[in-house]
């Protein structure tokens, strides 16, 4: 059996504060359901969060060119949403680009855990989720996107991204389907 890992990407205050509260709460609750299932089987949970210096010297080009200051180190915006079920044993990766793999040490961490399948949650579907899924697929990981645990501010680009990835790059599954596949009752 392939060992699985849950990766939660950018469920940060900066982004979720802009969402309708009920929608954000559903995303967090569904993600926490997966966290509980993974923990019950002692499978790894990895938090990935974006963070930049206040001078944007480590930000990507568009941010530097347009002086877009989001998820700035040390601010509330760069912190994980308080409703997320988090434990000190969860690994945390800080990323500087859309992909959770780009210069982060995620490859080494996954090798250490010995996983072969990644279940990915988070935002934004059309950017960070898509990039992480493609990069995982390129590294020969099986990828599952948790349908109720991914979201975006751009519904159309999110839909196109999910349509593109489904059955090629990743399998899209509901939280219930993922929990059932894990064998959690």
């Amino acid at each position: 059996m392939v060992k699985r890992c849950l990766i939660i990407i950018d469920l940060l205050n900066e982004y979720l504060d802009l969402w309708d509260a009920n929608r954000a709460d559903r995303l967090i609750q569904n993600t926490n359901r997966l966290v509980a299932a993974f923990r019950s089987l002692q499978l790894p949970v990895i938090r990935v969060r974006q963070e930049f210096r206040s001078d944007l010297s480590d930000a990507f080009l568009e941010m530097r060119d347009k002086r877009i200051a989001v998820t700035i180190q040390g601010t509330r915006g760069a912190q994980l949403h308080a409703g997320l079920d988090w434990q000190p044993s969860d690994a945390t990766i800080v990323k500087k680009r859309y992909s959770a793999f780009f210069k982060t040490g995620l490859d080494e961490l996954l090798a250490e855990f010995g996983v072969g399948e990644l279940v990915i949650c988070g935002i934004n579907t059309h950017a960070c989720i898509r990039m992480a899924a493609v990069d995982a697929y390129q590294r020969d990981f099986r990828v599952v996107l948790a349908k109720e645990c991914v979201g975006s501010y751009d519904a159309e680009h999110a839909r196109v991204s999910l349509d593109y990835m489904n059955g090629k790059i990743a399998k899209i599954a509901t939280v219930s389907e993922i929990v059932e596949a894990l064998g959690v009752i």
Side-chain angles (χ1 to χ4, degrees):
M1 175 175 252
V2 175
K3 186 174 180 183
R4 296 172 173 112
C5 176
L6 180 63
I7 298 182
I8 301 166
I9 299 174
D10 287 345
L11 292 184
L12 305 175
N13 293 322
E14 188 90 40
Y15 303 127
L16 292 175
D17 284 351
L18 300 175
W19 283 36
D20 170 77
N22 290 328
R23 183 175 172 224
D25 287 344
R26 281 192 308 275
L27 181 72
I28 296 297
Q29 289 169 5
N30 286 318
T31 301
N32 284 343
R33 183 173 170 210
L34 284 181
V35 169
F38 273 73
R39 282 209 186 106
S40 74
L41 298 171
Q42 298 179 333
L43 294 173
V45 176
I46 300 174
R47 312 284 177 176
V48 178
R49 63 184 185 82
Q50 180 175 272
E51 177 182 279
F52 302 105
R53 294 184 190 118
S54 60
D55 66 1
L56 302 179
S57 61
D58 57 346
F60 49 89
L61 289 175
E62 181 186 20
M63 290 180 69
R64 285 183 277 164
D65 291 348
K66 296 179 180 177
R67 301 298 306 158
I68 299 170
V70 296
T71 64
I72 300 301
Q73 183 177 15
T75 67
R76 181 183 170 282
Q79 295 173 358
L80 294 168
H81 189 280
L84 279 172
D85 180 4
W86 179 87
Q87 292 183 2
S89 60
D90 297 338
T92 299
I93 298 283
V94 174
K95 68 181 178 71
K96 304 293 183 176
R97 299 295 185 267
Y98 288 155
S99 177
F101 288 90
F102 185 79
K103 296 183 181 182
T104 64
L106 182 57
D107 284 311
E108 293 81 8
L109 188 58
L110 293 171
E112 180 184 321
F113 289 147
V115 300
E117 180 176 286
L118 307 180
V119 176
I120 299 177
C121 302
I123 55 178
N124 283 298
T125 305
H126 65 283
C128 299
I129 300 305
R130 182 175 172 154
M131 290 299 298
V134 169
D135 282 355
Y137 176 78
Q138 292 297 312
R139 288 163 169 78
D140 294 325
F141 288 103
R142 299 211 179 271
V143 179
V144 177
L145 299 177
K147 185 177 182 177
E148 305 96 334
C149 301
V150 294
S152 178
Y153 67 87
D154 187 324
E156 180 61 15
H157 280 107
R159 184 193 60 73
V160 168
S161 291
L162 289 175
D163 287 348
Y164 166 73
M165 290 185 284
N166 192 24
K168 299 171 195 76
I169 304 294
K171 175 184 176 183
I172 298 174
T174 66
V175 170
S176 294
E177 290 168 339
I178 295 166
V179 169
E180 183 179 318
L182 290 170
V184 177
I185 299 172

